[in-house]
Amino acid sequence: MIETLLVNTDKQLENLEKLATGIKYAPVEMKIVDALKHGNEALKNMVDINEIERIMDETRGDTNVNESDVSTELDALVAKKEAEKLKLSEVPQGELSLPSADETLKEGKAAIKEKPKKILIEA
C-alpha cells in the first residue's frame, strides 16, 4: 500500500513538473502564434506577382541612364582634375641670385675647420 502511494505521488510530481514547464513556455508559444497570425495577414495583403513585376519594370525604366552621358561627364571630371594637378606656379622673370662658387667653397672649408663640440653625458 505504501508503495502504491509512492508510485502515485511520483506520477503526480511528474505531472506537476510537466505543467510547470508548459506554463513556463506558454508566453513563448503565444508569441509564436501571434507572429504566425501577422505573417498570414501580411501574405493575404500582398499584391499579386504581376503587380510586383510591373512595379519593378517601372522602376528599372526610371533608373536607366544613358551610358555615354555618364562616360562623357566622367571624362570631363577626370580632365578637370588632371588640369588642376598640372597647374604650375609662375616662374620668376628676374635674375636668380645664386651664391658664387668661391663663397660656397669658403663656407664648406669653414664648416670643416670647426671642431666638433664636446657634449657631457651622464654616466
Side-chain angles (χ1 to χ4, degrees):
M1 176 152 156
I2 293 178
E3 286 180 17
T4 312
L5 207 60
L6 286 174
V7 169
N8 285 339
T9 306
D10 283 340
K11 287 180 184 178
Q12 287 177 353
L13 184 59
E14 284 179 27
N15 285 336
L16 287 173
E17 287 175 354
K18 286 179 186 178
L19 288 172
T21 304
I23 291 172
K24 183 177 179 181
Y25 290 110
V28 175
E29 291 172 352
M30 287 298 295
K31 287 180 183 177
I32 291 171
V33 169
D34 285 340
L36 288 172
K37 284 180 185 177
H38 290 293
N40 194 21
E41 288 176 21
L43 285 173
K44 287 179 183 177
N45 293 332
M46 283 185 67
V47 248
D48 66 312
I49 190 74
N50 294 329
E51 182 70 16
I52 293 171
E53 287 178 0
R54 184 187 63 77
I55 292 170
M56 287 179 65
D57 288 340
E58 285 177 3
T59 341
R60 192 175 300 119
D62 291 343
T63 57
N64 285 340
V65 177
N66 190 352
E67 197 170 312
S68 64
D69 291 343
V70 172
S71 180
T72 304
E73 189 173 339
L74 181 61
D75 290 341
L77 288 173
V78 168
K80 182 179 177 183
K81 196 70 167 172
E82 288 297 320
E84 287 176 2
K85 286 182 183 177
L86 293 177
K87 282 185 181 177
L88 300 174
S89 60
E90 292 186 26
V91 178
Q93 298 297 324
E95 282 189 34
L96 297 176
S97 60
L98 297 174
S100 69
D102 290 334
E103 291 175 11
T104 308
L105 184 61
K106 287 178 186 176
E107 288 174 6
K109 286 182 181 178
I112 292 173
K113 288 181 181 177
E114 286 182 19
K115 293 183 180 178
K117 295 180 181 178
K118 294 183 180 179
I119 300 173
L120 296 177
I121 300 175
E122 291 183 30

